[in-house]
Amino acid sequence: MFYREAGQYKSTYAADMAVFPLRQDRIGIAVILAIAFIGIPMIGNDFFIATVMIPFLVFSLAAIGLNILTGYTGLISLGTAAFMGVGAYACYKLTTFFPGVNIIVLILISGLFSAAIGVLFGLPSLRIKGFYLAVATLAAQFFLQWAFVRVPWLFNYNASGAIEVPLRSLFGIPITGASASAETRYFVCLGLVVVLTWFASNLVHGRLGRSWMAVRDMDIAAELMGIKLLNAKLLAFAVSSFYAGVAGAMMIFLWYGGGEAADVFNIRLSFNILFMVIIGGLGSLIGSFFGAAFIASLPTILKFGLPALGVPLSGAAAEHVTFMLVGALIIIFLIVEPHGLARLWQITKQKLRTWPFPY
């Protein structure tokens, strides 16, 4: 009885078309944001924030980008990690050229470089699709990963080939570099993810999102209806790559704190992000968070949670168990529920709206 529409009247078209039409949903979002901004920093320690929450936020943003391309537009991509790498290296070069600019601004600008590269490699989508498009984006993954290693200008001719994250502060508080605390980096990641998720929600629920879904369902019919496939597909690649680029810059500057990015943004990372979208749910923003939460937290739970409960499990064994669980869940979801965890959450909410009645 606590999750009903009874008594919640809409007097405007805007209220009727709201993303969260029920008051309980809006309260739930407010509670989640309060827990994220207040509860977790108060309760969680640095280890939990650095190894669980920051990776979860980074992967969520990358999964949202891939979901816009694959889930909403129906274009398969296996090069998400490469576009993340473009954002990381672009942010590194921007910090070199513009040392006085705020690092948060540079992280967002780095996504524009990823968007440009994504549009370039998205041009084949105008002629090919399906398996052939997946192979084309896979070629982008290998080419860009090769460039990260073979073009020394990208890493400022560093002998180790690694990205060295400089110290950058905001209002006197370090947010990148060795002296930046995990809590500060978490707040920056959380702020970026909240703002970009709100922006993505407005995109997919607007005219552009409807055109993407029309292209996904049947591109020929969408073109006959007046939707320009060139604009729709390339814009989907641009927006998806922008989110991937910002996520890649966040991964290096706010999570890892430096390192050899060429080894980080490999084909395995591209597949992991694709698995997040599959398990979480294609064509669902909340599914991106579900999938990222599951895959980002699973290794930590197996490595540290099970031994804390008395179940001995080595690091290598935990990694193998992670592979097996993720693979089994992908098969199960593709067979039983192709729309992933987001669909299960939607079914649960629908049951609550009619509970205790069976209809």
Side-chain angles (χ1 to χ4, degrees):
M1 301 295 289
F2 60 88
Y3 188 73
R4 292 289 178 84
E5 293 179 270
Q8 301 186 35
Y9 304 106
K10 286 100 176 167
S11 57
T12 62
Y13 287 111
D16 190 54
M17 297 175 63
V19 178
F20 301 106
L22 297 184
R23 185 184 305 111
Q24 290 85 345
D25 288 334
R26 297 191 292 272
I27 294 174
I29 293 296
V31 171
I32 291 173
L33 291 177
I35 293 174
F37 279 99
I38 301 174
I40 291 178
M42 291 179 59
I43 300 174
N45 54 22
D46 289 346
F47 174 80
F48 174 76
I49 292 175
T51 60
V52 176
M53 294 307 302
I54 294 179
F56 160 66
L57 293 172
V58 171
F59 288 140
S60 297
L61 196 61
I64 288 174
L66 182 59
N67 221 335
I68 288 175
L69 184 65
T70 303
Y72 285 96
T73 317
L75 303 175
I76 303 175
S77 174
L78 296 178
T80 307
F83 301 132
M84 293 174 67
V86 172
Y89 280 100
C91 189
Y92 184 45
K93 298 301 294 185
L94 288 173
T95 56
T96 304
F97 295 145
F98 307 101
V101 180
N102 188 282
I103 188 63
I104 299 177
V105 176
L106 297 182
I107 289 175
L108 292 173
I109 294 176
S110 65
L112 299 178
F113 291 87
S114 294
I117 299 297
V119 170
L120 178 64
F121 284 101
L123 288 174
S125 66
L126 304 177
R127 295 293 181 222
I128 59 178
K129 56 184 177 181
F131 172 76
Y132 301 99
L133 181 59
V135 173
T137 56
L138 187 62
Q141 169 69 42
F142 289 130
F143 173 77
L144 290 174
Q145 192 174 351
W146 172 87
F148 297 154
V149 179
R150 301 298 180 183
V151 182
W153 177 81
L154 292 175
F155 46 84
N156 289 342
Y157 302 95
N158 194 331
S160 63
I163 292 179
E164 298 178 353
V165 175
L167 174 64
R168 292 291 185 270
S169 302
L170 181 64
F171 303 116
I173 302 175
I175 57 178
T176 62
S179 59
S181 65
E183 185 175 331
T184 302
R185 291 183 282 116
Y186 166 75
F187 277 121
V188 176
C189 289
L190 182 60
L192 289 172
V193 170
V194 168
V195 171
L196 291 177
T197 301
W198 171 80
F199 183 72
S201 177
N202 282 276
L203 279 180
V204 299
H205 288 95
R207 179 182 58 85
L208 186 57
R210 291 193 294 271
S211 66
W212 284 341
M213 287 183 277
V215 173
R216 175 196 63 189
D217 295 337
M218 186 174 291
D219 54 354
I220 297 178
E223 188 174 18
L224 293 174
M225 292 171 59
I227 296 175
K228 296 181 180 179
L229 297 185
L230 172 65
N231 297 343
K233 290 185 177 182
L234 291 185
L235 195 54
F237 264 100
V239 174
S240 174
S241 301
F242 172 82
Y243 276 76
V246 174
M250 289 169 53
M251 176 177 284
I252 295 299
F253 282 76
L254 299 174
W255 177 15
Y256 285 163
E260 297 184 8
D263 296 331
V264 175
F265 302 110
N266 51 28
I267 185 63
R268 177 179 171 182
L269 179 59
S270 291
F271 277 107
N272 278 339
I273 297 171
L274 179 62
F275 297 157
M276 294 175 193
V277 173
I278 293 175
I279 293 176
L282 289 167
S284 170
L285 294 181
I286 193 172
S288 302
F289 287 96
F290 284 154
F294 179 82
I295 293 184
S297 62
L298 183 60
T300 303
I301 293 174
L302 293 177
K303 290 179 182 179
F304 302 100
L306 292 182
L309 296 176
V311 181
L313 192 66
S314 63
E319 188 174 358
H320 292 307
V321 172
T322 301
F323 288 150
M324 291 188 293
L325 286 177
V326 172
L329 284 174
I330 289 173
I331 296 173
I332 292 172
F333 275 110
L334 289 177
I335 295 175
V336 178
E337 186 49 78
H339 294 287
L341 295 171
R343 178 58 181 167
L344 298 180
W345 173 245
Q346 185 181 7
I347 293 174
T348 303
K349 290 175 62 178
Q350 188 61 36
K351 294 292 184 181
L352 288 174
R353 294 176 73 173
T354 59
W355 184 85
F357 306 104
Y359 51 84

